[in-house]
Amino acid sequence: MRNLLADLGGITGPGHILADPDVVAGYATDWTRRYAGHAACVVLPSSTSQVSDVVRACAAHGAPVISQGGNTGLVGGSIPSPSADEPPPVILSTRRLTGLGPVDRGSGQVTAGAGVTIARIAADAASAGLRYGVDLASRDSATVGGTIATNAGGIHTIRYGPTRFQVAGLTAVLADGSVVGTLSGRTAGSTGYDLAHLLTGSEGTLAVITEARLQLRPAEPPAAVLFCGTAGIAEAAELTGLLKTAVSGLLAAEYIDAEGLALVREMSGLPAPFPSQHPGYLLAEIARTPGPQDAADYLVEQTARLPLPADTAIAQDARGIAALWAYRERLTEAIARAGIPHKIDAAVPASELGAFCGELDGVVRAAAGSLRAGPESGSGDQPRVIVFGHVGVGNLHVNVLGPDPADMQVDAAVARLAAAHGGSVAAEHGVGRAKTDWLAWTRSPGELAAMRAIKRALDPNGLLNPGVLLPPETAPGS
Ligand code: FAD
Ligand code: MLT
Ligand code: ZN
């Protein structure tokens, strides 16, 4: 291992190899504190060519390479495995890949290093009068490379689609150190397999992404945010459906259940949005349409025909809009402060959301019944179930506080429920290490075989993020 560290130091300079066990442990533990692993060191290359040399050196030593961006992932994909693998893996951090080119006003595109944060892309786009289509509460740490690798969604997916829709090209290093991809940003092309799209959502298992060409969008400042008290997810989904057809620029449609609202208020001291409580809340953000129209008139015209609930707060100025968003934006942090949650990021068809949520409590209680409670149990040892998410695209985040964080039974039961309702066991966070056993519930044997074939072709020795995304192969007959 000493030779590997020396070889890596020769590539990046010894100051960019971190081997102090306490420092490495910080990189080897994920944001949720639920997943942690072992690594030999952290290497911080500063260019595609250094990444290529690092990957070659690791391959020569047989050391697995774990790609890591902002380490805000929620499924254990950005950290090494907890087993004491030999040789131990190397965490390749993209924190020094922070080059950011000028916005090309002709194409509305920008070229960014994999380690550039989403907040920086957003600020850069805004300074050119544009916007980046992906936004998420982890924006200050989540990176271009990490969001591409997970095909991240976020609060504006309903308007602009997930990260895949924003990628106009990329550069990546394959397991043998070769560099592939293009940053030309040209959108026409019909010459075979599209590597950029193959690598989007590949969670570091096929290549290390080093740079990306991103498509920006016209700026669409919000005209208003509506915050509605609803009878629950079914009404929130129905209202979202009506909004989608009634207003021309629905930028976001987000759901928070009563438990989520209570927790975020408890943790951050936010005031109650209404005098009475509701089973769930819908936050909808509507864009201003271009033109001279007054924003207030526009909103009245757009929403006049909608059966909005009696408890609907409407904000039209920046301060009011931020105050309503705070209930949603601070939720993940609030849950993390309450304990280490079981997080299940599921997608469910809109028509099934009501039934899914109706069965959820029973499923969680049944799965948690036999488990030892964790230190963050809800009152009376009952699990605390919080449901929120991007209802506009049928993506719900189920968070369960209480059962031992080391146990996966509750997670599996909720994921099975999503699959039983025609949903997906991962909507935007990826599969990581947490969900590999559930892939077969929503992907066919043929699809899994094709995915394995791609992995074997691009990474025959299984050096890139082993144990992430694909379940371990079982020997025939076993
Ligand atoms: P990491 O966590 O470092 O890595 C994530 C995965 O990508 C790992 O498998 C890793 O190996 C791989 N990877 C990272 N960089 C590269 C690279 N350069 N090349 C190849 N593989 C790479 N996610 C959403 O989708 N929508 C949300 O709304 C959302 N909100 C969040 C809010 C909070 C408060 C937090 C903490 C997280 C949230 N997330 C959300 C999850 C997380 O931010 C995303 O998954 C994000 O895409 C991870 O980016 P990252 O740079 O932190 O990647
Ligand atoms: C969000 O939408 O806030 C996230 O995906 C984070 C989470 O699931 O906690
Ligand atoms: Zn989300």
Side-chain angles (χ1 to χ4, degrees):
M1 189 179 76
R2 191 168 292 161
N3 285 344
L4 172 61
L5 297 193
D7 287 355
L8 294 176
I11 297 164
T12 59
H16 302 297
I17 308 296
L18 312 176
D20 175 328
D22 288 339
V23 176
V24 175
Y27 283 81
T29 305
D30 86 331
W31 192 91
T32 66
R33 294 164 287 137
R34 196 175 177 201
Y35 307 102
H38 298 290
C41 67
V42 180
V43 57
L44 296 109
S46 65
S47 64
T48 298
S49 132
Q50 282 194 4
V51 172
S52 166
D53 291 346
V54 164
V55 171
R56 274 185 222 278
C58 289
H61 287 271
V65 176
I66 314 300
S67 293
Q68 188 179 97
N71 199 14
T72 65
L74 302 171
V75 287
S78 53
I79 52 118
S81 109
S83 50
D85 296 325
E86 273 307 324
V90 168
I91 297 176
L92 189 161
S93 168
T94 60
R95 287 186 189 194
R96 291 176 71 224
L97 298 174
T98 51
L100 183 58
V103 172
D104 174 358
R105 286 170 192 271
S107 62
Q109 295 176 350
V110 68
T111 297
V116 174
T117 64
I118 296 308
R120 206 171 144 216
I121 297 287
D124 202 50
S127 66
L130 298 169
R131 102 177 299 174
Y132 184 48
V134 173
D135 192 16
L136 59 191
S138 53
R139 59 184 75 79
D140 291 326
S141 305
T143 61
V144 165
T147 50
I148 295 175
T150 54
N151 186 28
I155 54 184
H156 296 313
T157 311
I158 187 171
R159 181 75 173 157
Y160 309 111
T163 300
R164 182 182 303 287
F165 289 25
Q166 334 300 329
V167 177
L170 53 72
T171 300
V173 173
L174 299 180
D176 64 358
S178 57
V179 178
V180 296
T182 171
L183 298 169
S184 73
R186 101 185 119 64
T187 43
S190 167
T191 51
Y193 307 131
D194 187 325
L195 287 180
H197 281 200
L198 177 64
L199 297 185
T200 304
S202 65
E203 301 189 46
T205 61
L206 299 180
V208 185
I209 297 159
T210 57
E211 283 185 280
R213 184 81 174 164
L214 301 172
Q215 183 66 55
L216 305 176
R217 314 278 173 169
E220 292 191 293
V225 164
L226 314 183
F227 197 81
C228 313
T230 70
I233 188 72
E235 189 188 353
E238 195 184 318
L239 262 178
T240 302
L242 293 174
L243 281 163
K244 272 183 186 166
T245 48
V247 305
S248 48
L250 185 58
L251 292 174
E254 298 284 312
Y255 179 73
I256 310 172
D257 74 354
E259 191 67 34
L261 192 87
L263 183 66
V264 80
R265 290 191 52 225
E266 193 179 308
M267 291 294 172
S268 51
L270 292 170
F274 308 112
S276 41
Q277 295 179 9
H278 297 274
Y281 300 84
L282 174 71
L283 182 154
E285 188 176 61
I286 301 169
R288 190 184 305 262
T289 45
Q293 201 173 21
D294 176 72
D297 295 346
Y298 168 75
L299 184 72
V300 170
E301 188 193 299
Q302 298 260 63
T303 54
R305 285 158 290 145
L306 295 177
L308 293 178
D311 268 347
T312 295
I314 302 183
Q316 294 183 266
D317 58 277
R319 213 164 132 196
I321 286 176
L324 291 179
W325 264 114
Y327 295 112
R328 173 65 181 88
E329 283 267 302
R330 297 194 197 165
L331 197 42
T332 301
E333 291 275 358
I335 294 168
R337 280 174 59 197
I340 299 179
H342 297 248
K343 278 184 157 312
I344 307 97
D345 157 48
V348 180
S351 56
E352 294 290 311
L353 286 167
F356 171 79
C357 286
E359 290 167 48
L360 189 59
D361 267 355
V363 163
V364 169
R365 277 175 216 280
S370 55
L371 296 178
R372 192 165 54 88
E376 48 278 327
S377 240
S379 55
D381 270 358
Q382 287 298 340
R384 197 168 181 181
V385 182
I386 298 142
V387 180
F388 67 99
H390 318 288
V391 60
V393 291
N395 178 187
L396 288 186
H397 301 309
V398 178
N399 285 249
V400 182
L401 285 164
D404 188 342
D407 196 284
M408 290 299 283
Q409 285 184 51
V410 164
D411 312 56
V414 175
R416 262 205 188 282
L417 181 65
H421 283 281
S424 170
V425 300
E428 58 169 9
H429 296 165
V431 174
R433 293 184 186 281
K435 301 180 172 182
T436 52
D437 289 347
W438 314 340
L439 256 196
W441 299 347
T442 50
R443 303 300 298 260
S444 70
E447 284 175 327
L448 287 175
M451 283 163 70
R452 280 197 191 288
I454 292 168
K455 170 72 175 171
R456 273 196 298 268
L458 292 186
D459 181 18
N461 298 318
L463 286 176
L464 301 180
N465 271 16
V468 170
L469 182 51
L470 287 164
E473 291 203 64
T474 43
S478 67

